[in-house]
Amino acid sequence: MNWYMGLDASTQSLSAVVVDPEQSRIVGDLSVDFNELPEYKCASGVLENSDPLVKHSDPLLWVAALEKLFSQLRPSGIAPERIAAISGSGQQHGTVYLLDSFRELDGWHSDRLLVEQVRQMLARPTAPIWMDSSTSVECAEITRAAGGVEYVQQTTGSPAIERFSGPQIRKFHKNHPEMYEATGIIHLVSSFMGSLLAGRSIPIDYGDGAGMNLMNLERENWDRQMIEATAPGLADKLPPLRPSSTRVGKIAAYFVDKFGFSPETELLAWSGDNPNSLIGVGGWRPGVAVISLGTSHTYFAAMHTPTVDPDGYGHVFGNPAGGFMSLICFKNGALAQEAVRDQARIDWRQFDQCLRDTPAGNHGNLMLPYFVPEITPLVFRASSVYRGTPEFEAGNDTPARVRAVVEAQALRLRLHSSWIETEPGELRVTGGAAKSTEVCQVLADVFGTRVERLETGNSAGLGAALRAAQGMGVDNWRGLAATFCKPASGQTVEPIPEHVAVYRKMLPTFAEFAK
Ligand code: XUL
């Protein structure tokens, strides 16, 4: 009768998925939207900044959201005392800078708000997150100091990347040397949130650690050359690296006293949202590729050997089930679709209707959706590009604009995933926009593959809950995936052969246009 909880600290919300493996059911799925906590001034999870390349968040927002979410458990029918183990998921790459006092906490005091206790332990008031693209100079410096791009990419699985933790840490050290000096420990969003639950500092897992430009993938340890190239004294400021399945201790007394968790609740290492999603959609083994249509659009798949992207856009992260996973990420995901919808003053129902009203290939109308600076490929100035009929280019053809953004997103997913060794046998689509059958049809046609959708939308939270169950020996990955990651019946989208042919011809034209 044990339940297992997965928390998901994503860009815009904190949510919890609770599973009951014995009864093969999801007990609960609840969420706190960060816009419900306006006092932290992070609209959609991000602090305002005059520089469009700088994207930070307030880590106290995440702490406050955790308390809010836990206070909603019992009213939502989730008895905290039944939860045997908890793991979690965090937006990747973001860093939290803490004083040394965070290392050896003696638990938290349940008569005081967690936010107040954590506030005193922050060495830096803000946390740079994955949307930040402001560290190109630092990327170049790190690459040079580490001995070249080949070394960085082969060792860490990615070239130096603006949003990755290493370049962000270097920028902090350069711009705020005293604050960097005072920093005792640097956590990822995932390991920070997990540390809150433990009431002490916990390790970083291989899944998320690989997104820092600091981990040696082969040795599964911090790479001395990368650390030295990044910032002085960094080795002493990083938590240890451990497998994702590591049990990191029991829940802190604070949560037992305040919310009624059992003091025996086990905690497992947290991981990044993409590694967790890989588990949550049943993609733990090679052969299943996943497209996640969230704030960012990502494509990922488990892989046997860590192959790197010759174009330098793809990444290799740790697969929580062991081995590795490939990933590519686009910033103009949900935001770009929202921008087109808002410009045309339509709702999502009309958006889907536009897709039904227009043909595959969009009469040759093409678009590069850069509503915010892009990371794949690197585009620093947010300015979308249009090529087609005069009405389309002038923005007077709403259906064509809608199809253009969806086709562009699907085509670049296909284009930039071609370096990944195994062709997917199955394509699973998750995230908010996966609800749209029309969007999934474009993906099925562009990839020429059947697209499956799952019952739950929160694949990162579900993946974390399944990791908690697997880590406690409840079942193996195959068993858990068979129970919880089944494609929803009637939700599969088959490719249409004539459309597949259109997109096969269109891909090289689009690739040329995107250069
Ligand atoms: C992956 C990436 C994003 C974030 C936020 O590299 O930057 O997918 O994890 O979801």
Side-chain angles (χ1 to χ4, degrees), residues 109-152:
H109 303 283
S110 57
D111 52 347
R112 286 173 55 207
L113 274 181
L114 202 49
V115 163
E116 296 314 325
Q117 299 177 72
V118 177
R119 191 191 305 276
Q120 298 163 2
M121 293 172 181
L122 291 181
R124 183 185 195 180
T126 66
I129 63 165
W130 67 276
M131 297 170 100
D132 191 289
S133 306
S134 70
T135 64
S136 296
V137 173
E138 288 73 19
C139 287
E141 289 168 350
I142 291 172
T143 306
R144 212 173 312 117
V149 69
E150 171 116 6
Y151 181 84
V152 179

Side-chain angles (χ1 to χ4, degrees), residues 337 340-341 344 346-348 350-356 358 362 367 392 397-409 439:
Q337 290 191 7
V340 170
R341 180 203 59 181
I346 55 174
D347 59 22
W348 288 123
Q350 293 164 310
F351 190 91
D352 284 344
Q353 185 60 45
C354 288
L355 289 171
R356 285 195 291 276
T358 44
N362 205 17
M367 162 184 194
F392 170 75
D397 186 346
T398 294
R401 279 278 167 114
V402 168
R403 180 162 280 277
V405 70
V406 173
E407 286 189 344
Q409 290 177 327
V439 168

Side-chain angles (χ1 to χ4, degrees), residues 10-11 90-93 130-131 163-164 272-274 295-298 315 317 327-329 375:
S10 79
T11 315
Q91 52 170 314
Q92 295 197 254
H93 318 300
W130 67 276
M131 297 170 100
R163 69 186 189 284
F164 276 34
D273 54 356
N274 294 294
T295 309
S296 62
H297 280 184
T298 54
H315 314 298
F317 297 148
L327 178 130
I328 47 168
C329 177
I375 47 188

Side-chain angles (χ1 to χ4, degrees), residues 164-453:
F164 276 34
S165 321
Q168 292 291 342
I169 292 170
R170 178 165 182 81
K171 184 178 168 194
F172 179 53
H173 146 70
K174 280 168 57 188
N175 292 0
H176 302 281
E178 321 77 46
M179 271 157 92
Y180 176 77
E181 192 57 37
T183 300
I185 189 149
I186 302 173
H187 271 289
L188 289 178
V189 177
S190 59
S191 58
F192 169 66
M193 296 300 286
S195 297
L196 294 180
L197 291 186
R200 61 191 172 73
S201 190
I202 66 165
I204 288 178
D205 86 304
Y206 298 154
D208 217 9
M212 299 176 77
N213 277 146
L214 293 172
M215 181 179 132
N216 186 312
L217 281 185
E218 206 182 309
R219 297 202 205 118
E220 294 179 327
N221 215 335
W222 299 123
D223 187 76
R224 195 146 51 87
Q225 214 162 314
M226 288 308 303
I227 287 196
E228 282 170 8
T230 299
L234 181 54
D236 298 334
K237 298 182 196 292
L238 293 172
L241 279 162
R242 291 286 179 271
S244 316
S245 55
T246 305
R247 293 190 197 179
V248 295
K250 300 249 172 32
I251 197 165
Y254 181 91
F255 301 101
V256 175
D257 298 347
K258 193 152 185 183
F259 302 104
F261 284 92
S262 156
E264 296 309 312
T265 311
E266 291 278 355
L267 304 176
L268 284 102
W270 283 44
S271 191
D273 54 356
N274 294 294
N276 275 292
S277 271
L278 186 75
I279 301 297
V281 298
W284 57 280
R285 67 200 143 86
V288 180
V290 187
I291 290 178
S292 171
L293 304 175
T295 309
S296 62
H297 280 184
T298 54
Y299 177 107
F300 48 89
M303 60 179 172
H304 290 301
T305 44
T307 319
V308 295
D309 175 9
D311 290 337
Y313 291 120
H315 314 298
V316 181
F317 297 148
N319 173 353
F324 303 93
M325 64 181 283
S326 54
L327 178 130
I328 47 168
C329 177
F330 304 87
K331 245 171 44 171
N332 284 275
L335 297 172
Q337 290 191 7
E338 279 162 27
V340 170
R341 180 203 59 181
D342 295 346
Q343 278 172 4
R345 296 206 180 85
I346 55 174
D347 59 22
W348 288 123
R349 209 180 37 77
Q350 293 164 310
F351 190 91
D352 284 344
Q353 185 60 45
C354 288
L355 289 171
R356 285 195 291 276
D357 289 345
T358 44
N362 205 17
H363 299 296
N365 289 312
L366 293 178
M367 162 184 194
L368 297 175
Y370 301 142
F371 292 93
V372 289
E374 184 49 73
I375 47 188
T376 311
L378 260 185
V379 175
F380 290 109
R381 217 171 64 83
S383 172
S384 297
V385 185
Y386 303 90
R387 191 178 81 190
T389 62
E391 298 77 41
F392 170 75
E393 287 189 7
N396 296 330
D397 186 346
T398 294
R401 279 278 167 114
V402 168
R403 180 162 280 277
V405 70
V406 173
E407 286 189 344
Q409 290 177 327
L411 287 164
R412 54 191 199 152
L413 276 161
R414 175 124 179 99
L415 214 66
H416 289 286
S417 60
S418 55
W419 60 278
I420 296 167
E421 54 186 333
T422 39
E423 281 278 316
E426 287 169 52
L427 193 56
R428 296 197 167 173
V429 179
T430 178
K435 284 195 202 92
S436 161
T437 301
E438 288 73 14
V439 168
C440 290
Q441 186 66 60
V442 174
L443 287 169
D445 295 340
V446 165
F447 280 84
T449 308
R450 163 191 300 174
V451 161
E452 292 172 334
R453 292 181 280 181

